[in-house]
């Protein structure tokens, strides 16, 4: 998954260099992915349409043989074969796409992306790192707005300055375990000491020589609860005097102390507008998917009706950054457009075959009455 993550981040930065901003780059990258996956998505759309058309007959078979599961399975397999329908055909394209979308999503919520694009404004979105509501303060102001139970993660890379003056970038093997936060629980308004564990840095890992050769290290630290980010500089604990402030930190750890303040909960209206747009496009997508299909009944119908509410609830109650919601809105909008287009093309071909409509360029000869 890291390969997909790194490739997506590289591609996003490449597109950003052309379009001039990360918000536009998210839109362009999402559109590019949808174009590349167009054949798979089209196959999935047609499979779902076929499933809707056959659903009444499938339900009739299930009701008829509900007392004999083995017979029901045999009849369903025979029915699928006669109608040249594979019930897994709609799932396979989704499974192929899943790693791509997981990698893209992981990149958009990562500290690396938030550090690069978090302060960017786009139309009514004040900040691509904003969640719907949070107690986040201003990013990159060298002060965290916190609550007592906040959790912190780091970017996937740390910049290390060796005592010789050489600057080296190292990967972080575990973005959560690499940090040690004190005090616990946190006290808003009191300084917070963050210690960096070198054994999770780079391929070398922890060794006395590795630590002794470090003059300082810098990296982005993100409040996982609010997506607020700050760039922090860490120094060896003994040299910086952080051992006294953080007595539980081993002497070989790198430490930094940062002021904090009590976070005030606020709503970011631009994110709410994005969520409402997403809900609207989702409803439109469902309508175009169900167009011409037999009405669904039972638990499946209820699930289809509740699905938009479930997704909107997820976006409301979980701290999802605006950049991710923008990606979801564009994805859903393009799914709606593609589905409407495929349905229109298929209906046009079906009508032409059945003779319901004359071809667009056909000239109809009408004889005048005598």
């Amino acid at each position: 998954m890291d390969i997909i993550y790194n490739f997506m981040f590289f591609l996003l930065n490449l597109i950003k260099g052309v379009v001039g901003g990360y918000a536009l780059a998210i839109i362009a990258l999402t559109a590019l992915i949808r174009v590349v996956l167009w054949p798979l998505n089209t196959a999935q759309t047609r499979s779902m349409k076929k499933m809707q058309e056959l659903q009444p007959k499938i339900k009739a078979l299930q009701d008829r043989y509900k007392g004999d599961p083995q017979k029901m399975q045999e009849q369903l397999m025979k029915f699928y074969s006669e109608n040249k329908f594979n019930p897994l055909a709609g799932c396979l394209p989704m499974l192929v796409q899943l790693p791509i979308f997981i990698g893209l999503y992981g990149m958009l919520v990562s500290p690396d992306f938030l550090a690069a694009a978090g302060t960017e404004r786009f139309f009514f979105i004040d900040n691509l790192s904003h969640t719907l509501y949070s107690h986040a303060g201003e990013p990159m102001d060298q002060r965290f707005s916190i609550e007592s139970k906040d959790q912190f993660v780091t970017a996937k890379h740390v910049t290390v300055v060796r005592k010789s003056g050489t600057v080296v970038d190292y990967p972080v093997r575990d973005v959560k375990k690499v940090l040690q936060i004190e005090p616990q629980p946190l006290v808003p308004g009191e300084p917070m000491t963050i210690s960096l564990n070198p054994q999770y840095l780079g391929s070398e890992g922890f060794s006395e020589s590795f630590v002794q050769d470090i003059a300082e290290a810098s990296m982005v630290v993100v409040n996982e609860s609010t997506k607020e980010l700050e760039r922090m500089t860490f120094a060896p604990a003994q040299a910086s005097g952080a051992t006294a402030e953080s007595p539980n930190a081993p002497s070989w750890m790198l430490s930094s102390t940062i002021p904090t303040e009590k976070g005030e909960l606020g709503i970011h209206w631009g994110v709410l507008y994005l969520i409402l747009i997403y809900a609207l496009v989702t409803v439109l997508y469902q309508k175009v998917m169900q167009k011409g299909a037999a009405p669904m009944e039972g638990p499946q119908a209820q699930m289809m009706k509740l699905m938009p509410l479930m997704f909107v609830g997820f976006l409301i109650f979980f701290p999802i950054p605006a950049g991710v919601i923008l990606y979801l809105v564009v994805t859903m909008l393009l799914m709606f457009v593609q589905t409407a287009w495929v349905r229109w093309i298929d209906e046009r071909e079906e009508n032409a075959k059945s003779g319901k409509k004359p071809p667009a360029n056909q000239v109809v000869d009408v004889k005048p009455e005598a």
Side-chain angles (χ1 to χ4, degrees), residues 163-175:
K163 291 181 178 178
S164 62
T166 305
V167 179
V168 184
D169 281 335
Y170 287 101
V172 177
R173 292 202 301 276
D174 193 313
V175 297

Side-chain angles (χ1 to χ4, degrees), residues 12 24 59 61 86 139 154 159 171 199 211 242 249 282 286 289 309:
L12 187 73
L24 289 174
K59 188 175 185 304
L61 282 174
N86 181 359
T154 70
T159 301
Q199 68 179 349
V211 177
T282 301
Q286 279 198 334
M289 281 296 300
L309 292 176

Side-chain angles (χ1 to χ4, degrees), residues 154-216:
T154 70
K156 290 194 173 184
H157 291 84
V158 58
T159 301
V160 172
V161 180
R162 296 184 178 275
K163 291 181 178 178
S164 62
T166 305
V167 179
V168 184
D169 281 335
Y170 287 101
V172 177
R173 292 202 301 276
D174 193 313
V175 297
K176 294 186 177 180
K177 291 182 179 180
V178 73
L179 297 181
Q180 178 176 306
I181 312 293
E182 292 184 353
Q184 287 293 338
L186 298 173
V187 182
E190 296 294 325
M192 173 177 67
T193 298
I194 301 180
S195 299
L196 194 65
N197 192 336
Q199 68 179 349
Y200 293 104
L201 304 182
S203 56
E204 301 174 39
F206 172 72
S207 68
E208 285 294 329
S209 59
F210 178 74
V211 177
Q212 289 174 1
D213 192 38
I214 296 176
E216 65 178 31

Side-chain angles (χ1 to χ4, degrees), residues 46-47 49-51 53-58 61 75-87:
R46 286 177 171 150
S47 175
K49 180 187 176 185
K50 186 75 171 177
M51 184 67 177
E53 293 172 349
L54 299 177
Q55 188 61 38
K57 295 181 180 179
I58 293 173
L61 282 174
Q75 291 298 316
L76 284 174
M77 291 299 102
K78 181 180 178 182
F79 178 77
Y80 292 149
S81 177
E82 290 173 350
N83 288 273
K84 299 179 180 180
F85 175 69
N86 181 359

Side-chain angles (χ1 to χ4, degrees), residues 19-90:
V19 300
Y22 278 104
L24 289 174
I26 291 172
I27 295 172
L29 178 58
T30 307
L32 177 63
I33 291 172
R34 298 301 302 185
V35 168
V36 171
L37 298 176
W38 182 279
L40 286 176
N41 293 324
T42 299
Q44 183 179 357
T45 299
R46 286 177 171 150
S47 175
M48 292 176 70
K49 180 187 176 185
K50 186 75 171 177
M51 184 67 177
Q52 289 172 340
E53 293 172 349
L54 299 177
Q55 188 61 38
K57 295 181 180 179
I58 293 173
K59 188 175 185 304
L61 282 174
Q62 291 172 335
D63 291 340
R64 183 177 179 182
Y65 297 103
K66 61 182 178 182
D68 189 345
Q70 184 175 353
K71 184 70 173 177
M72 180 198 298
Q73 194 64 26
E74 290 176 0
Q75 291 298 316
L76 284 174
M77 291 299 102
K78 181 180 178 182
F79 178 77
Y80 292 149
S81 177
E82 290 173 350
N83 288 273
K84 299 179 180 180
F85 175 69
N86 181 359
L88 297 178

